[in-house]
Amino acid sequence: TTISMDELFDGPLPGGQLATRSIGDACAASATLISQMAPVFAALSKIAYHRDVSGHNFLVRETAGKEDFSLLDFGLATQAADWPEDFRRKNICGDPRYFTPAAWMLMAFGLKSLEALPDTSVRRQYTERIDHYSFGVLVLELLFALWCGPEREQDIKGDQLLVITEAMRAWRCFWTDAVFFFQKFHTEGAPSVQQAMAKSSAISNFMQKQTALCAALRVAAKKLQHSVVSSVFAIAADLIDPRGTMDWPEMQIGRASCRERV
């Protein structure tokens, strides 16, 4: 709740794997996360929404260079069939770093303002794809935390490296806002955050950064077609995009692809 963004992005974080992998290996870890969790969410989504998909609700075990991921803590889960109506009455919950923009709008401006938006995709992301969004944020958090960065990347160069670097920059802008909201929420409390957001353009700026991030990810995915990097970037973009349409069964990435370096 107090770490600076410089330390979060660039360390040092002793004992971890921050910035230790090539882009191919970092994306392979995220691809493994997607491939293991997509079937879990596919089964879960017929019953409930987790509503607290976040880094602290995942376990990871690494053996022989292979990661195994597990999702836990269903204490905030809600029945999927009831959520499209229950969201009007139930409290916003979970880790604020993974809140959809709609959750922040509900907090700052209330239900009527959210329902009055001409773009219904923002509300849809909260009522139908709340777990998609937070999982997409987690996929990118893992990827860009593991990547060694453009200065140390050895596997790819030129225009391909440039578009990945732009995606990283867009991620850092987006994640900086998300963490700032989270830290303000824990430092000052929900009422203070609500008042500050209602009087500023913070939410609209955050949504612009979300749009820029989706665009940067898709440019990179197109530039690196037929690779695990492209697959992960394309899936992550769809997951966090309010207009995303990809459902869980469509997100499988083959084991062979997960082992590809680029």
Side-chain angles (χ1 to χ4, degrees):
T1 58
T2 59
I3 191 171
S4 71
M5 294 311 297
D6 286 343
E7 187 177 2
L8 183 63
F9 285 138
D10 300 316
L13 297 177
Q17 297 186 35
L18 181 70
T20 58
R21 303 192 187 187
S22 69
I23 190 62
D25 289 339
C27 282
S30 287
T32 299
L33 174 63
I34 293 168
S35 294
Q36 290 180 6
M37 287 297 109
V40 174
F41 283 112
L44 177 65
S45 64
K46 300 171 185 177
I47 306 166
Y49 294 128
H50 187 281
R51 292 205 301 158
D52 194 15
V53 176
S54 55
H56 63 260
N57 279 335
F58 271 82
L59 296 178
V60 57
R61 177 179 61 187
E62 186 177 28
T63 54
K66 178 182 179 296
E67 294 89 5
D68 291 311
F69 296 94
S70 298
L71 175 66
L72 62 148
D73 192 355
F74 289 76
L76 296 175
T78 188
Q79 292 187 28
D82 297 336
W83 179 240
E85 287 299 322
D86 281 355
F87 88 94
R88 303 169 187 275
R89 295 178 290 276
K90 286 197 173 183
N91 290 336
I92 301 165
C93 63
D95 186 322
R97 289 171 294 183
Y98 305 84
F99 279 3
T100 68
W104 290 116
M105 291 189 69
L106 279 169
M107 180 182 294
F109 304 111
L111 178 62
K112 289 184 178 180
S113 294
L114 180 62
E115 293 185 325
L117 286 176
D119 185 356
T120 59
S121 65
V122 177
R123 184 178 68 182
R124 170 180 167 267
Q125 189 171 55
Y126 188 66
T127 60
E128 299 178 22
R129 295 176 67 85
I130 187 171
D131 288 346
H132 290 74
Y133 173 86
S134 51
F135 183 66
V137 173
L138 181 64
V139 166
L140 292 170
E141 182 184 8
L142 175 67
L143 191 167
F144 287 115
L146 288 176
W147 186 35
C148 62
E151 295 82 6
R152 295 164 55 196
E153 177 62 49
Q154 298 295 318
D155 292 343
I156 60 172
K157 301 183 185 299
D159 290 345
Q160 289 185 331
L161 182 57
L162 179 61
V163 294
I164 295 172
T165 302
E166 289 302 313
M168 180 194 73
R169 288 172 180 160
W171 160 253
R172 288 190 169 200
C173 287
F174 171 86
W175 194 231
T176 295
D177 275 14
V179 174
F180 172 76
F181 295 159
F182 164 78
Q183 291 180 335
K184 191 174 181 67
F185 186 93
H186 280 281
T187 303
E188 301 179 16
S192 176
V193 174
Q194 177 186 21
Q195 294 174 13
M197 285 187 162
K199 297 176 181 178
S200 72
S201 58
I203 298 174
S204 61
N205 291 339
F206 183 56
M207 292 175 70
Q208 289 174 10
K209 292 177 182 180
Q210 177 189 20
T211 300
L213 175 57
C214 290
L217 291 169
R218 288 179 171 130
V219 168
K222 186 175 181 180
K223 194 72 175 179
L224 290 105
Q225 289 183 32
H226 312 300
S227 70
V228 67
V229 179
S230 177
S231 297
V232 170
F233 277 32
I235 290 171
D238 193 272
L239 283 166
I240 66 171
D241 190 343
R243 295 182 176 84
T245 59
M246 193 178 293
D247 210 351
W248 301 112
E250 302 173 66
M251 297 179 198
Q252 287 299 303
I253 303 174
R255 289 183 179 274
S257 296
C258 291
R259 291 193 295 268
E260 293 174 8
R261 296 186 67 81
V262 293

